[in-house]
Amino acid sequence: MLKNIILNLSQLDSEKKLDILLKLSFFVSSIMLISAFYLEYFQGALPCDLCITQRWFHVLIITYSLILIFILKSTLISKKLILLGLSIVWIMSSIAGTYHFGIEMKFWKGPQECSSNIDFSKDLLTYLLNKSTIKCDEVIFSVLGLSLAAWNAIFSFGMFLFINIILIKRKF
């Protein structure tokens, strides 16, 4: 099925293909961002600092896509360059999600201010007052056994791959 979608999409002219990819990026990123806000405000899944960082990548994708959707007809920018920029933002979002997921799974340590480890030193009160109450190394909400950071990494990497397959499959 995905192969047929890619083949059909790759046979369109480059202007139509770019328009579809920009709209798809806008739609996927919007759904991910709206879902995050829904979970925060209606389900009580408060975001940590890294969750908020991941949201900024989606704001960037939405803004980038919207601007280019509206100025696509009048732009002199290469379509390959536009898709390369979109691809870079998606892979950055995937890296941020993977980094956060690795911290949640204890594969590596996160930023000091984002950890649930307590440093019992003489400056304990100052340390505690400067720490976020939401910890990056704790899974607040999961779907099908994966945290939201993992889902962000998966979907973002999927979009990165999809855009690059379309870009490479047929000469754009």
Coordinates of all heavy atoms in Angstrom, one line a residue, residues 87-134:
S87 N 12.8 18.3 5.2 CA 13.4 17.0 5.6 C 14.3 17.2 6.8 O 14.3 16.4 7.8 CB 14.2 16.4 4.5 OG 14.8 15.2 4.8
I88 N 15.1 18.3 6.8 CA 16.0 18.5 7.9 C 15.2 18.8 9.2 O 15.6 18.3 10.3 CB 16.9 19.7 7.6 CG1 18.0 19.3 6.5 CG2 17.6 20.3 8.8 CD1 18.8 20.4 5.9
V89 N 14.1 19.5 9.1 CA 13.4 19.8 10.3 C 12.7 18.5 10.9 O 12.7 18.3 12.1 CB 12.3 20.9 10.1 CG1 11.5 21.2 11.3 CG2 12.9 22.2 9.6
W90 N 12.2 17.7 10.0 CA 11.7 16.4 10.5 C 12.7 15.5 11.1 O 12.4 14.9 12.2 CB 11.0 15.7 9.3 CG 9.6 16.1 9.0 CD1 9.1 16.8 7.9 CD2 8.4 15.9 9.9 NE1 7.8 17.0 8.0 CE2 7.3 16.5 9.2 CE3 8.2 15.3 11.1 CZ2 6.1 16.5 9.8 CZ3 7.0 15.3 11.7 CH2 5.9 15.9 11.0
I91 N 13.9 15.5 10.6 CA 14.9 14.6 11.2 C 15.4 15.2 12.5 O 15.7 14.5 13.5 CB 16.2 14.3 10.3 CG1 17.0 13.2 10.8 CG2 17.0 15.5 10.1 CD1 16.3 11.8 10.9
M92 N 15.4 16.5 12.7 CA 15.7 17.2 13.9 C 14.7 16.8 15.0 O 15.0 16.6 16.1 CB 15.9 18.7 13.8 CG 17.1 19.1 13.0 SD 17.2 20.9 12.5 CE 16.4 21.8 13.7
S93 N 13.4 16.8 14.6 CA 12.3 16.4 15.5 C 12.5 15.0 15.9 O 12.3 14.6 17.1 CB 11.0 16.6 14.8 OG 9.9 16.2 15.6
S94 N 12.9 14.1 15.0 CA 13.1 12.7 15.3 C 14.3 12.5 16.3 O 14.2 11.7 17.2 CB 13.4 11.9 14.0 OG 13.6 10.6 14.3
I95 N 15.3 13.3 16.1 CA 16.5 13.2 17.0 C 16.1 13.7 18.4 O 16.5 13.0 19.4 CB 17.7 14.0 16.4 CG1 18.2 13.4 15.2 CG2 18.8 14.3 17.5 CD1 19.2 14.2 14.4
A96 N 15.3 14.8 18.5 CA 14.9 15.2 19.8 C 14.0 14.2 20.5 O 14.2 13.9 21.7 CB 14.1 16.6 19.6
G97 N 13.1 13.5 19.7 CA 12.3 12.5 20.3 C 13.1 11.3 20.7 O 12.9 10.7 21.8
T98 N 14.1 10.9 19.9 CA 14.9 9.8 20.3 C 15.8 10.1 21.5 O 15.9 9.2 22.4 CB 15.9 9.4 19.1 OG1 15.0 9.1 17.9 CG2 16.7 8.2 19.4
Y99 N 16.3 11.3 21.6 CA 17.1 11.7 22.7 C 16.3 11.6 24.0 O 16.7 11.0 25.0 CB 17.6 13.1 22.5 CG 18.4 13.7 23.7 CD1 19.6 13.2 24.1 CD2 17.8 14.8 24.4 CE1 20.3 13.7 25.2 CE2 18.5 15.4 25.4 CZ 19.7 14.8 25.8 OH 20.4 15.4 26.9
H100 N 15.1 12.1 23.9 CA 14.2 12.1 25.1 C 13.8 10.7 25.5 O 13.8 10.3 26.6 CB 12.9 13.0 24.8 CG 12.1 13.2 26.0 ND1 10.9 13.8 25.9 CD2 12.2 12.9 27.3 CE1 10.3 13.9 27.1 NE2 11.1 13.3 28.0
F101 N 13.5 9.9 24.5 CA 13.1 8.5 24.7 C 14.3 7.7 25.4 O 14.1 6.9 26.3 CB 12.7 7.8 23.4 CG 12.4 6.3 23.5 CD1 11.3 5.9 24.2 CD2 13.2 5.4 23.0 CE1 11.0 4.6 24.4 CE2 12.9 4.0 23.1 CZ 11.8 3.6 23.8
G102 N 15.5 8.0 24.9 CA 16.7 7.4 25.5 C 16.8 7.7 27.0 O 17.2 6.9 27.8
I103 N 16.5 9.0 27.3 CA 16.6 9.4 28.7 C 15.5 8.7 29.5 O 15.8 8.2 30.6 CB 16.4 11.0 28.8 CG1 17.6 11.6 28.2 CG2 16.2 11.4 30.3 CD1 17.4 13.1 28.0
E104 N 14.3 8.6 29.0 CA 13.2 7.9 29.7 C 13.6 6.4 29.9 O 13.2 5.9 31.0 CB 11.9 8.0 28.9 CG 11.3 9.3 28.8 CD 10.1 9.4 27.8 OE1 10.0 8.5 26.9 OE2 9.3 10.3 28.0
M105 N 14.2 5.8 29.0 CA 14.6 4.4 29.1 C 15.9 4.2 29.8 O 16.4 3.0 30.0 CB 14.7 3.7 27.7 CG 13.4 3.7 26.9 SD 12.2 2.6 27.7 CE 11.0 3.8 28.4
K106 N 16.5 5.3 30.3 CA 17.8 5.2 31.1 C 18.9 4.7 30.2 O 19.9 4.1 30.7 CB 17.6 4.4 32.3 CG 16.4 4.6 33.2 CD 16.5 5.9 33.9 CE 15.4 6.1 35.0 NZ 14.2 6.8 34.6
F107 N 18.9 4.9 28.9 CA 20.0 4.6 28.0 C 21.1 5.6 28.2 O 22.3 5.2 28.0 CB 19.6 4.6 26.5 CG 18.6 3.5 26.2 CD1 17.6 3.8 25.2 CD2 18.5 2.3 26.8 CE1 16.7 2.8 24.8 CE2 17.6 1.3 26.5 CZ 16.7 1.6 25.5
W108 N 20.8 6.8 28.5 CA 21.8 7.9 28.8 C 21.1 8.9 29.7 O 19.9 8.9 29.9 CB 22.3 8.5 27.5 CG 21.2 8.9 26.6 CD1 20.4 10.0 26.6 CD2 20.9 8.3 25.3 NE1 19.5 10.0 25.6 CE2 19.8 9.0 24.7 CE3 21.3 7.1 24.7 CZ2 19.2 8.6 23.5 CZ3 20.7 6.8 23.5 CH2 19.7 7.5 22.9
K109 N 22.0 9.7 30.3 CA 21.5 10.7 31.2 C 21.1 12.0 30.5 O 21.7 12.3 29.5 CB 22.6 11.1 32.3 CG 22.8 10.0 33.3 CD 23.7 10.6 34.4 CE 23.9 9.5 35.4 NZ 22.8 9.5 36.4
G110 N 20.1 12.6 31.0 CA 19.6 13.8 30.4 C 20.2 15.0 31.1 O 21.1 14.9 31.9
P111 N 19.7 16.2 30.8 CA 20.2 17.4 31.4 C 20.0 17.3 32.9 O 19.0 16.7 33.4 CB 19.4 18.5 30.8 CG 18.8 18.0 29.6 CD 18.7 16.5 29.8
Q112 N 20.9 17.9 33.7 CA 20.9 17.8 35.2 C 19.6 18.3 35.7 O 19.0 17.8 36.6 CB 22.1 18.6 35.7 CG 22.2 18.5 37.2 CD 22.6 17.2 37.7 OE1 23.1 16.4 37.0 NE2 22.4 16.9 39.0
E113 N 19.1 19.4 35.1 CA 17.8 20.0 35.7 C 16.6 19.3 35.3 O 15.5 19.6 35.7 CB 17.7 21.5 35.2 CG 17.6 21.7 33.7 CD 19.0 21.8 33.0 OE1 20.0 21.7 33.7 OE2 18.9 21.8 31.8
C114 N 16.7 18.3 34.5 CA 15.6 17.5 33.9 C 15.5 16.1 34.5 O 14.8 15.3 34.1 CB 15.7 17.5 32.4 SG 14.1 17.4 31.6
S115 N 16.4 15.8 35.5 CA 16.5 14.4 36.0 C 15.8 14.3 37.4 O 15.7 15.3 38.1 CB 18.0 14.1 36.2 OG 18.1 12.9 36.8
S116 N 15.4 13.1 37.7 CA 14.8 12.9 39.0 C 15.8 12.6 40.1 O 15.4 12.4 41.2 CB 13.7 11.8 38.9 OG 14.3 10.6 38.5
N117 N 17.1 12.6 39.7 CA 18.1 12.3 40.7 C 18.2 13.5 41.6 O 18.3 14.7 41.2 CB 19.4 12.0 40.1 CG 19.4 10.8 39.2 OD1 18.6 9.9 39.5 ND2 20.2 10.7 38.2
I118 N 18.3 13.3 42.9 CA 18.5 14.4 43.9 C 19.9 14.4 44.4 O 20.4 13.4 44.8 CB 17.5 14.3 45.0 CG1 16.0 14.4 44.5 CG2 17.8 15.3 46.1 CD1 15.0 14.2 45.6
D119 N 20.5 15.6 44.3 CA 21.9 15.7 44.8 C 21.8 16.2 46.2 O 21.5 17.4 46.5 CB 22.6 16.8 43.9 CG 24.0 17.0 44.3 OD1 24.6 16.2 45.0 OD2 24.5 18.1 44.0
F120 N 22.2 15.3 47.2 CA 22.1 15.7 48.6 C 23.4 16.4 49.0 O 24.4 15.8 49.4 CB 21.9 14.5 49.5 CG 20.5 13.9 49.3 CD1 20.3 12.8 48.5 CD2 19.5 14.5 50.0 CE1 19.1 12.3 48.3 CE2 18.2 13.9 49.8 CZ 18.0 12.8 49.0
S121 N 23.4 17.7 48.8 CA 24.6 18.5 49.1 C 24.2 19.7 50.0 O 23.0 19.8 50.3 CB 25.3 19.0 47.8 OG 24.5 19.9 47.2
K122 N 25.1 20.5 50.3 CA 24.8 21.7 51.1 C 23.9 22.6 50.4 O 23.2 23.4 51.1 CB 26.1 22.4 51.6 CG 26.9 22.9 50.5 CD 28.2 23.5 51.0 CE 29.0 24.1 49.8 NZ 30.2 24.7 50.2
D123 N 23.8 22.6 49.1 CA 22.9 23.5 48.4 C 21.6 22.8 47.9 O 21.1 23.1 46.9 CB 23.7 24.0 47.1 CG 24.9 24.9 47.5 OD1 24.8 25.6 48.5 OD2 25.9 24.8 46.8
L124 N 21.1 21.9 48.7 CA 20.0 21.1 48.3 C 18.8 21.9 48.1 O 18.0 21.7 47.1 CB 19.7 20.0 49.4 CG 18.5 19.1 49.1 CD1 18.7 18.3 47.8 CD2 18.2 18.2 50.2
L125 N 18.5 22.9 48.9 CA 17.3 23.7 48.8 C 17.4 24.5 47.5 O 16.4 24.6 46.7 CB 17.1 24.7 50.0 CG 15.9 25.6 49.9 CD1 14.6 24.8 49.8 CD2 15.9 26.5 51.1
T126 N 18.5 25.1 47.2 CA 18.7 25.9 45.9 C 18.5 25.0 44.7 O 17.8 25.3 43.7 CB 20.1 26.6 45.9 OG1 20.2 27.3 47.1 CG2 20.2 27.4 44.6
Y127 N 19.1 23.8 44.8 CA 19.0 22.8 43.8 C 17.5 22.4 43.5 O 17.1 22.4 42.4 CB 19.8 21.6 44.1 CG 19.7 20.4 43.2 CD1 20.4 20.4 42.0 CD2 18.9 19.3 43.5 CE1 20.3 19.4 41.1 CE2 18.8 18.2 42.6 CZ 19.5 18.3 41.4 OH 19.4 17.2 40.6
L128 N 16.8 22.1 44.6 CA 15.4 21.7 44.4 C 14.5 22.9 43.9 O 13.6 22.6 43.1 CB 14.8 21.2 45.7 CG 15.4 19.9 46.2 CD1 14.9 19.5 47.6 CD2 15.0 18.8 45.2
L129 N 14.8 24.1 44.3 CA 14.0 25.2 43.8 C 14.2 25.5 42.3 O 13.4 26.0 41.7 CB 14.3 26.5 44.6 CG 13.8 26.4 46.1 CD1 14.3 27.6 46.9 CD2 12.3 26.3 46.1
N130 N 15.4 25.1 41.8 CA 15.7 25.4 40.4 C 15.3 24.3 39.5 O 15.4 24.4 38.3 CB 17.2 25.7 40.2 CG 17.6 27.0 40.9 OD1 16.8 27.9 40.9 ND2 18.8 27.0 41.4
K131 N 14.9 23.2 40.0 CA 14.5 22.0 39.2 C 13.0 22.1 38.7 O 12.2 22.6 39.4 CB 14.7 20.7 40.0 CG 16.2 20.3 40.1 CD 16.3 19.0 40.8 CE 15.7 17.8 40.1 NZ 16.6 17.2 39.2
S132 N 12.8 21.6 37.5 CA 11.4 21.5 37.0 C 10.7 20.4 37.8 O 11.3 19.4 38.2 CB 11.4 21.1 35.5 OG 10.2 20.8 35.1
T133 N 9.4 20.6 38.1 CA 8.7 19.5 38.8 C 8.3 18.3 37.9 O 8.1 17.3 38.4 CB 7.4 20.1 39.3 OG1 6.6 20.7 38.3 CG2 7.7 21.2 40.4
I134 N 8.4 18.5 36.6 CA 8.1 17.4 35.7 C 9.5 16.9 35.2 O 10.3 17.7 34.6 CB 7.3 17.9 34.5 CG1 6.0 18.6 34.9 CG2 7.0 16.7 33.5 CD1 5.1 17.8 35.8

